[in-house]
Amino acid sequence: MAKPSVYWFYNHTTNNVAKATGSGSDSNFKPVTTGTGAGGFTLVWTGSNANDGAATGTRDNIVVPDSGSVEIDKTFIDDSSLINQIPLAGTNQGKQQGGDNRYVFCINIGGVTQSKAFLELWDNASHNSINAKTLGSGTPGSSYIKGIATTYQAPGSSDWVAGGGHKNLAGSGSSNRLELSSANIPAGGADLYFNLATRVPGGAGAFNETPVCTLRFSYS
């Protein structure tokens, strides 16, 4: 069998609706150019003074609390020209329209797989390390990056991190990656959905890191 095609998308609107089925974008979902080189887009969490359509590289600091945690305010895709906001991303603890949103990020797999599809976070393109501070400094359960699979249903809570249905993303352990499909992808492909947020713990200090977001599945 041929290698399945894979296309990544993000919802740049406040319309919590599914993407048009298949490998194309639509009025709500824009495509993402994948890769870790200069041509690849960057998923960005940053402070509230960064705004949709600002120049590439625009970032804003957040205030890290002494205790507890804080959700990073806004979520963007930096396409090397502009930063494009993903207003439905995250929970209601951020400073955009995050919450009980199902249709935020989408991956279309076109073709048959021999496994379920999983979303993973690593600190390098070799997928052999999770030592970044944002990934828990080697302790997956302490990862700042939280995810929830929404292929089949919405998170079920406006603060889905507090609701406990999320995963702390770091590496390939079953408790620290997202199962985006409940079975192998069949002929005809599938659109898979998820939501992401970043919670910074009190006393975390300064950081500026670029983890790698990876889709994993097997095929033959």
Side-chain angles (χ1 to χ4, degrees):
M1 294 182 183
K3 177 181 177 180
S5 61
V6 175
Y7 298 92
W8 298 60
F9 303 89
Y10 66 97
N11 190 342
H12 68 103
T13 76
T14 56
N15 301 320
N16 187 28
V17 296
K19 186 183 73 65
T21 302
S23 62
S25 56
D26 62 17
S27 60
N28 297 303
F29 283 84
K30 290 183 177 181
V32 173
T33 297
T34 59
T36 57
F41 291 7
T42 304
L43 173 62
V44 177
W45 288 281
T46 191
S48 60
N49 286 329
N51 294 304
D52 185 49
T56 183
T58 300
R59 306 287 189 269
D60 182 41
N61 292 327
I62 63 167
V63 177
V64 177
D66 293 329
S67 60
S69 66
V70 63
E71 185 164 317
I72 297 183
D73 303 325
K74 293 181 178 179
T75 309
F76 296 86
I77 292 290
D78 191 325
D79 66 7
S80 300
S81 176
L82 304 172
I83 60 170
N84 302 281
Q85 192 171 1
I86 310 171
L88 296 179
T91 80
N92 65 353
Q93 299 303 298
K95 294 183 179 177
Q96 47 184 16
Q97 286 77 48
D100 190 20
N101 299 320
R102 180 178 176 186
Y103 302 109
V104 183
F105 297 94
C106 178
I107 298 176
N108 171 263
I109 299 179
V112 176
T113 71
Q114 298 300 308
S115 73
K116 299 176 182 180
F118 299 93
L119 188 79
E120 301 175 355
L121 269 290
W122 298 87
D123 65 16
N124 62 56
S126 297
H127 307 104
N128 60 11
S129 174
I130 53 170
N131 291 325
K133 180 187 287 190
T134 50
L135 299 182
S137 300
T139 302
S142 298
S143 176
Y144 299 180
I145 303 174
K146 319 297 184 183
I148 191 164
T150 58
T151 301
Y152 306 107
Q153 61 186 18
S157 172
S158 294
D159 184 356
W160 44 264
V161 173
H166 71 286
K167 296 291 183 70
N168 301 310
L169 301 179
S172 58
S174 60
S175 297
N176 300 103
R177 64 179 181 174
L178 288 184
E179 182 182 290
L180 298 182
S181 64
S182 61
N184 300 358
I185 304 300
D191 287 320
L192 309 176
Y193 293 93
F194 58 98
N195 199 349
L196 299 172
T198 299
R199 295 275 176 97
V200 181
F207 60 92
N208 182 4
E209 298 177 330
T210 54
V212 175
C213 188
T214 297
L215 177 70
R216 186 184 297 272
F217 60 83
S218 61
Y219 67 94
S220 62

